[in-house]
Amino acid sequence: SDVTDAITAKNHLCKAMYQGLFDWIVKRINECTSSPIVSITPQPAGHHFIAVVDTPGFENYQVNNLEQLLINVAHFTVNNTFMDHKYLECAKHATAEDPNFVALQKHLGDQLGPQGLVVDRMGLLALLDEECALGKGTDAHFLQHACLWKPTAKDPAFDRNVLEKTTFTVKHSADNATYSASYETIGIVATNRSWSLTENLREVITESTSMLVRDCLPPLPQVRGRRPTLAAIHLRHLRSWMDRLNETGNQWILCVQTDHEQHKSNRGVTKVFNQLQQSGVLAIAKVL
């Protein structure tokens, strides 16, 4: 309907402007803090830098949608790197203290997944992108395809309640998260397909009298000539981010929240334990 289309366009405009403003602020900060390196050996400007990255946490609400699924993909991807880094660091200290200690050559990522179910070439996001490529793809057909497609249907981390026609569950190591394929006024297929603003909205922004508003207009993304989906753009940015992260020296700080209400009398032992388990710290302790 016209009302639904208007609400959807409004949501896309707000999200696009928020993203554009955030990118604009980061760009200006980087321009102000970067300077040529003073060194005997000539080096390009910005060769050395210090960056602070607030990594995404695991999200699991009563109603989870595509946004939560993509956030959780980023969370576990970063956590896999954190796990490997901390395990090798702990194994190095253990070897120094005990020469007889043998470090297990074990990748701990499988304890934090299941990434394969979601991001593999034949995983859930690939099926979702395929559904978006169809002119008349629907949320119901996407769920039906996921239940019949062997790489997903046979995956032990995938679950579907036959009584729930619009949801599916991914059994993350942190917790089981149920995602809705149809929520609010727009479903998961339409959300994934709506990768950018419509031409009409882009034209409205370009004609704004505010230079800041015009500068915040996000560029048109291009991925191999095909119209990119939200999931495709997210994964591309995540891979680029992880490449940069793996090229640098990292120091990790794990933040643990004891109590949402911040009461002194509430130590939140169970909450802290769950966060340590979700972050993989307890998994490292078990292996070592």
Side-chain angles (χ1 to χ4, degrees), residues 5-34:
D5 292 341
I7 294 175
T8 301
K10 180 261 297 181
N11 292 339
H12 292 170
L13 176 61
C14 292
K15 291 180 180 179
M17 293 306 298
Y18 179 89
Q19 175 189 342
L21 181 59
F22 184 88
D23 293 341
W24 183 88
I25 293 174
V26 171
K27 181 180 178 181
R28 293 300 181 274
I29 292 176
N30 289 338
E31 290 175 350
C32 293
T33 57
S34 62

Side-chain angles (χ1 to χ4, degrees), residues 236-255:
R236 183 182 62 182
H237 289 170
L238 180 60
R239 294 188 189 101
S240 175
W241 181 34
M242 293 306 300
D243 289 342
R244 174 57 66 91
L245 188 64
N246 291 326
E247 291 173 355
T248 60
N250 305 318
Q251 296 293 330
W252 300 83
I253 300 176
L254 178 62
C255 299

Side-chain angles (χ1 to χ4, degrees), residues 256-269 271-272 275:
V256 178
Q257 188 176 24
T258 58
D259 179 25
H260 283 294
E261 299 178 356
Q262 299 181 354
H263 289 168
K264 294 181 179 180
S265 59
N266 190 350
R267 298 181 182 273
V269 176
K271 183 177 179 63
V272 171
Q275 291 178 78

Side-chain angles (χ1 to χ4, degrees), residues 55-191:
T55 60
F58 178 71
E59 293 190 357
N60 189 10
Y61 305 121
Q62 288 185 344
V63 178
N64 300 301
N65 52 40
L66 180 60
E67 180 180 353
Q68 274 68 54
L69 182 60
L70 297 179
I71 287 174
N72 289 339
V73 166
H75 165 74
F76 286 117
T77 300
V78 176
N79 238 11
N80 289 347
T81 302
F82 165 73
M83 285 278 284
D84 288 339
H85 174 83
K86 297 307 295 183
Y87 173 73
L88 293 177
E89 186 179 84
C90 292
K92 181 179 179 181
H93 289 302
T95 303
E97 295 177 2
D98 183 4
N100 296 323
F101 175 81
V102 179
L104 298 177
Q105 299 299 319
K106 178 179 177 58
H107 180 66
L108 300 179
D110 57 349
Q111 300 186 31
L112 291 176
Q115 292 292 79
L117 168 64
V118 182
V119 301
D120 272 3
R121 187 168 55 90
M122 295 184 289
L124 289 173
L125 293 183
L127 291 182
L128 182 58
D129 283 352
E130 181 180 329
E131 194 69 27
C132 291
L134 302 175
K136 298 181 179 180
T138 64
D139 303 329
H141 188 265
F142 161 69
L143 288 177
Q144 182 182 18
H145 196 179
C147 292
L148 298 177
W149 183 240
K150 286 186 178 180
T152 54
K154 299 296 183 181
D155 195 307
F158 179 78
D159 192 21
R160 175 83 189 282
N161 187 343
V162 293
L163 299 179
E164 297 289 341
K165 298 182 179 180
T166 61
T167 63
F168 63 93
T169 299
V170 177
K171 298 178 181 179
H172 300 288
S173 59
D175 198 2
N176 295 346
T178 298
Y179 300 93
S180 175
S182 180
Y183 47 88
E184 297 179 350
T185 60
I186 183 172
I188 192 171
V189 173
T191 300

